[in-house]
Amino acid sequence: FNARLDEFVQNTLPEERREYMTYGLLPVNELVTSTLAFVTGGFDITEVLLLAGALVLLIGCLNYSNLVIAQLSLRSQEIGVQKILGSKRSTLILQYCFESFLFVGMAMCLTLVLFFFLLVSFDAAGLVGVGPHMLLDPALWFYLALVMAAIIAIAGAYPAFRTALVPLVTLMRPKGSSGYSGRMRALMVGSQFFISGTLMILALVMFAQNRAMTSELDGDTADPRIMIGTAVSNFTVDPELLQNELKQHPGVLNITQSSNQPWAISNSSSSYFREPNENSIEGEIARHNIGYDYFATTGTRLRGGRDFSRERSNDAFPDFSELTENSGPYAAIIDDQTARTMGWENADQAIGEAIYRRIGPPTIDNVIFVELEIVGAADRPRFDLIDFSNFGVEGNIYHLRPEGAQNMLIQVSRENMNEALVHIDETWRRLMPDVAMQREFTDNIFYETYSIFLTVSFSITALSIAGFFIASIGLLGNATFITNIRQKEVGIRKVMGASSKRLLRMLLLDFAKPILIANAIAFPLGYFIAQGYISLFATRAELTIWPFVISILLSGAIAFAAVFSQSWKS
């Protein structure tokens, strides 16, 4: 069926649309995850969270591996005796891998028990398709086996292999040795804080982006907007009549129509030209079909020029069947990005100038260029979630075309909102009793759409905290081990006149150095990922230095708290 859809595209769509207009089947259970994949270039929410979870798991593997290497150094004489009695390197490696398997296996069993009870509670809560039966999925056990094998290879096999290669004479010394390297320890500790620091930077940027997006909402102060979900084409009365009746109540402030639903992850665009030919400056511009009073209703600022007027017949863009080569000029309002795309510095400079919209098959039989006069300069549209400039859309243009604007928006007064809502419902039932009305506040629509991004940001924050916690435990274990083997060094330094404060400063600096270096290395990667994330949205948070400063201060504070007691004791 997908192959037939591809044939439909090739045989039916205009040549210039075949490259980026596609059709395909999508399973219903992938609708939510595909939303994020649409705006991130193919990465869906499960892949993003799996990657973040895998990074935190890697922190645990490095942590465990580091501690096992330190622990095996204390078992070096045991390993030496095993070698004297004939144990091969492969046998020793297998033994310590099996120890890691037992450790990981017990943790996995506890996790499965926990998830069993969680899934039972979800099933009892009525979540469709969620229940204990999910643990019987063969694919789940296949992936769990792969994960356990990877963990054992990183956390168990590497330390065992490293220890097994140490010469027998070295192992049998009084203090023994496992080839434990200070550089390798610093590298592992630094890697843990590099991953957790990067996740923390991303989490803080996501938090700032969430604040930037929610600042666009009506909230508790602005007069709220309501979207009528019933399409205008399904009205059994003239939309103008309905609007006039609704405006009779003082609580109804403004009413308009729009082709785009508020906060929808969708877009419609057309090709526009500076001259009526395809060799002139061209731009793919987001097209907004709107009704009267759109800018007042949505709160989109009309910065210059004029609004669409009922007294000007040529302001309204006609039906496509009425268009000819000599049609126009019709009024249009643009934003600054559109103006720059078409060759002007800003939208104010373009007022009074003309651009041309290309319309052709299958909309109409022959290609024509419709002249448009720019009559106003507006800010970017309100209630946009995604910045579609990442997809080649280079600005926004507004056409007065109520018949092509299927969504009705109503702004009501906050002071008498309840009375206004009652009036809207009663007027609807009086004029269209046989048509079910669907209405919802635009703020609610935002949270329904944006919830997937809130879920990701919450999960990344939780995983970054978990990563810091795991890395801190490992750092505490390393501090305990390192301070024990450096006791003689500390004693000699004291005999030579070093003060306790100086020794404490030395030990703290030794532990903190790899962490600070790791965070400094994480800055460019964190900046790149954060910049890519906020660039997805129409309203962007300002990327300041604070997420990076907080990340490095938090890492330093955690390191200090983890190693201070052991360093002071030493």
Side-chain angles (χ1 to χ4, degrees):
F1 189 78
N2 278 326
R4 289 170 58 194
L5 289 175
D6 292 338
E7 292 176 6
F8 167 77
V9 170
Q10 296 300 319
N11 298 334
T12 310
L13 269 63
E15 185 175 354
E16 66 273 8
R17 297 249 170 193
R18 293 174 193 167
E19 295 182 1
Y20 59 88
M21 279 193 79
T22 59
Y23 297 89
L25 294 175
L26 181 69
V28 174
N29 62 358
E30 294 180 11
L31 284 173
V32 174
T33 57
S34 65
T35 301
L36 187 62
F38 171 70
V39 298
T40 58
F43 296 100
D44 66 31
I45 184 173
T46 52
E47 292 172 343
V48 172
L49 296 182
L50 275 173
L51 176 61
L55 290 174
V56 173
L57 190 59
L58 179 59
I59 294 175
C61 289
L62 294 173
N63 190 348
Y64 180 73
S65 181
N66 209 6
L67 294 176
V68 167
I69 292 175
Q71 184 190 44
L72 290 180
S73 69
L74 303 178
R75 298 173 62 181
S76 57
Q77 291 187 355
E78 172 195 336
I79 298 170
V81 171
Q82 287 179 296
K83 282 190 172 185
I84 291 173
L85 294 176
S87 292
K88 298 180 180 179
R89 289 177 179 175
S90 58
T91 306
L92 292 172
I93 293 173
L94 184 62
Q95 173 191 338
Y96 293 112
C97 284
F98 185 70
E99 290 181 6
S100 299
F101 170 75
L102 290 177
F103 182 81
V104 175
M106 287 189 294
M108 186 70 74
C109 289
L110 290 174
T111 303
L112 289 172
V113 171
L114 172 64
F115 266 84
F116 173 79
F117 288 108
L118 283 174
L119 291 172
V120 168
S121 63
F122 290 156
D123 188 28
L127 289 178
V128 177
V130 178
H133 66 275
M134 298 176 72
L135 296 177
L136 302 178
D137 184 3
L140 170 67
W141 289 96
F142 173 75
Y143 287 119
L144 285 179
L146 289 180
V147 169
M148 288 189 68
I151 293 173
I152 293 169
I154 297 174
Y158 170 72
F161 183 77
R162 185 178 180 88
T163 305
L165 294 178
V166 177
L168 179 60
V169 175
T170 305
L171 289 171
M172 295 307 295
R173 287 173 181 169
K175 281 293 183 181
S177 172
S178 66
Y180 190 74
S181 167
R183 289 184 178 179
M184 181 58 66
R185 173 188 62 82
L187 179 61
M188 287 187 173
V189 170
S191 298
Q192 295 175 49
F193 279 90
F194 169 78
I195 296 171
S196 56
T198 303
L199 289 175
M200 180 57 68
I201 290 171
L202 181 57
L204 292 169
V205 170
M206 285 181 166
F207 176 76
Q209 181 59 43
N210 293 342
R211 291 189 61 183
M213 291 300 302
T214 53
S215 68
E216 295 288 300
L217 301 180
D218 296 328
D220 297 328
T221 56
D223 293 320
R225 281 89 173 174
I226 299 168
M227 188 192 82
I228 303 298
T230 308
V232 171
S233 58
N234 292 330
F235 289 6
T236 56
V237 299
D238 185 2
E240 281 283 332
L241 172 62
L242 176 63
Q243 292 184 34
N244 291 332
E245 290 295 317
L246 292 177
K247 288 178 181 177
Q248 299 304 312
H249 193 279
V252 177
L253 303 179
N254 293 291
I255 305 177
T256 191
Q257 293 171 231
S258 173
S259 57
N260 294 350
Q261 290 189 6
W263 305 117
I265 304 180
S266 62
N267 184 270
S268 298
S269 63
S270 297
S271 297
Y272 293 83
F273 295 81
R274 185 70 181 267
E275 302 293 338
N277 63 77
E278 295 186 354
N279 295 323
S280 62
I281 298 175
E282 178 187 3
E284 189 70 20
I285 311 298
R287 185 184 68 253
H288 301 263
N289 294 327
I290 63 174
Y292 294 104
D293 303 321
Y294 171 85
F295 298 99
T297 305
T298 61
T300 303
R301 186 166 67 104
L302 192 62
R303 196 177 60 244
R306 64 175 179 84
D307 199 349
F308 296 118
S309 172
R310 288 180 169 82
E311 283 71 40
R312 299 173 183 263
S313 58
N314 262 24
D315 274 8
F317 196 91
D319 187 81
F320 294 122
S321 60
E322 301 175 15
L323 294 173
T324 65
E325 189 68 49
N326 298 320
S327 296
Y330 302 107
I333 296 175
I334 65 173
D335 63 2
D336 285 339
Q337 188 180 5
T338 300
R340 288 190 292 269
T341 300
M342 304 310 293
W344 294 289
E345 290 184 5
N346 53 57
D348 297 273
Q349 189 185 70
I351 293 175
E353 302 287 344
I355 58 174
Y356 297 84
R357 176 178 171 183
R358 182 189 183 280
I359 302 176
T363 305
I364 59 176
D365 295 334
N366 301 310
V367 174
I368 63 172
F369 290 87
V370 180
E371 183 179 357
L372 303 169
E373 180 187 356
I374 300 172
V375 300
D379 287 344
R380 63 171 184 79
R382 289 283 308 278
F383 311 128
D384 265 8
L385 189 67
I386 300 300
D387 183 3
F388 281 92
S389 63
N390 299 314
F391 302 89
V393 179
E394 303 168 298
N396 298 276
I397 189 168
Y398 302 89
H399 296 293
L400 178 61
R401 193 164 179 264
E403 63 274 13
Q406 292 295 308
N407 305 292
M408 182 172 286
L409 291 172
I410 305 173
Q411 184 184 30
V412 298
S413 171
R414 180 163 296 279
E415 280 69 28
N416 49 359
M417 181 173 61
N418 292 332
E419 294 84 352
L421 294 177
V422 171
H423 170 72
I424 292 171
D425 293 343
E426 290 178 348
T427 303
W428 184 281
R429 285 194 295 268
R430 176 166 54 84
L431 295 178
M432 293 182 288
D434 298 328
V435 180
M437 181 180 67
Q438 301 171 1
R439 61 171 174 82
E440 192 165 10
F441 288 101
T442 55
D443 283 8
N444 292 343
I445 297 174
F446 167 82
Y447 283 111
E448 290 172 4
T449 308
Y450 195 70
S451 61
I452 188 170
F453 299 100
L454 291 174
T455 300
V456 172
S457 63
F458 174 80
S459 302
I460 294 295
T461 302
L463 288 170
S464 66
I465 293 172
F468 268 120
F469 180 71
I470 296 169
S472 302
I473 293 175
L475 190 61
L476 176 61
N478 272 282
T480 304
F481 173 75
I482 295 300
T483 51
N484 284 336
I485 65 175
R486 293 183 67 177
Q487 281 183 355
K488 285 188 176 180
E489 174 194 345
V490 172
I492 293 173
R493 289 180 181 271
K494 276 197 167 187
V495 170
M496 300 300 293
S499 65
S500 295
K501 290 183 179 180
R502 185 173 181 180
L503 290 171
L504 178 63
R505 185 165 59 248
M506 177 195 72
L507 291 172
L508 290 177
L509 184 60
D510 285 348
F511 287 116
K513 192 181 298 181
I515 297 171
L516 298 177
I517 294 174
N519 272 268
I521 298 174
F523 283 2
L525 178 61
Y527 177 84
F528 175 77
I529 297 174
Q531 190 67 44
Y533 180 76
I534 64 176
S535 67
L536 297 174
F537 300 96
T539 301
R540 300 180 183 179
E542 183 181 357
L543 190 54
T544 66
I545 196 174
W546 285 112
F548 305 93
V549 172
I550 292 174
S551 175
I552 196 168
L553 289 178
L554 187 61
S555 298
I558 288 175
F560 181 84
V563 305
F564 179 80
S565 61
Q566 292 298 324
S567 300
W568 178 251
K569 184 188 299 183
S570 181

